[in-house]
Amino acid sequence: MFKFKKKTTTELDYNNIPKHIAIIMDGNGRWAQQRHLPRIAGHKKGMNVVKDITKAASDLGVKALTLYAFSTENWKRADQEVNYLMDLPEKFFSTFVPDLVKNNVKVNVMGYVDQLPKSTQNAINNAIEDTKDCDGMILNFALNYGSQDEIVTAVQNIAKKVSDGILNVEDINKEVVSDNLMTSSLGEFANPDLLIRTSGEERLSNFLLWQVAYSEFVFDDTKWPDYTKEDLINCIAKFQGRHRRFGGL
Ligand SMILES: Cc1cc(N2CCCCCC2)n2ncc(-c3ccc(F)cc3)c2n1
């Protein structure tokens, strides 16, 4: 049931650290279930792993780290679990903002934030304000996010610009679409170089569908609550071990 990991030291090429890493932090519920704990115990442990991996990624020189924290589909879960999850951003920032500032990490949140509880929105806005002058790694939380909704919203915004005479139909291209996605605030780091999904599932689950067109995917069997800096390094090593092509030879 519990796999003991062989300690290995992996050498990374620090000239080829993926600039933007996106992570689907999966396996929290199953981690708790295997230990006969309530699901929220997995989320609680998972939040502490977010802190560890944020620090690890920043130390490794990652420029942007996107974490899939809550999808638009997660509202279907039990009320008790959703209520607990909605408190996590506040809990995270109440203890971690000083560390983020110390590590020069800038907070960004993408998703339909206006649909979240006001207390959650306030915690997010305060953290964004407190870290706005940080110019190190961007910690980008996907919260109440869904890629298909994101694309529909982008199409609606572009159509409005055309009807308002701001944009001509023939001027709509890939850059215009990208500029209207929620990741546009990440600038040159909008598209992940590496997408990691933990706990062995090999699905995108409506995450960054447009942005991952040329990303490398690494699926790690480790459940998120057990994920460590060593696991992140191993995933980056797999990324570095692949010959990356952008559609060319
Ligand atoms: C809903 C949710 C769940 C959540 N889990 C812990 C990580 C595993 C995935 C599920 C549970 N975490 N962890 C951190 C946040 C968070 C989100 C936004 C923000 F601005 C600051 C922190 C979070 N949010």
Side-chain angles (χ1 to χ4, degrees), residues 158 171-181 184 191 210:
I158 291 167
D171 294 329
I172 299 172
N173 57 25
K174 284 186 282 189
E175 285 68 34
V176 168
V177 174
S178 293
D179 290 347
N180 282 275
L181 295 174
S184 59
N191 299 328
W210 171 279

Side-chain angles (χ1 to χ4, degrees), residues 7-18:
K7 282 270 177 220
T8 54
T9 53
T10 304
E11 286 301 311
L12 287 181
D13 172 3
Y14 284 87
N15 295 314
N16 186 23
I17 297 292

Side-chain angles (χ1 to χ4, degrees), residues 25 28 42-44 46-48 50 68-70 85-86 88-90 92-93 107-109 124 141 143 224:
M25 307 182 285
N28 304 280
H43 299 324
K44 182 176 182 182
M47 186 178 77
N48 289 323
V50 169
Y68 202 4
F70 191 87
L85 289 169
M86 283 298 109
L88 284 184
E90 247 172 300
F92 180 85
F93 288 135
V107 170
N108 187 72
V109 178
I124 290 166
F141 286 102
L143 192 62
W224 180 254

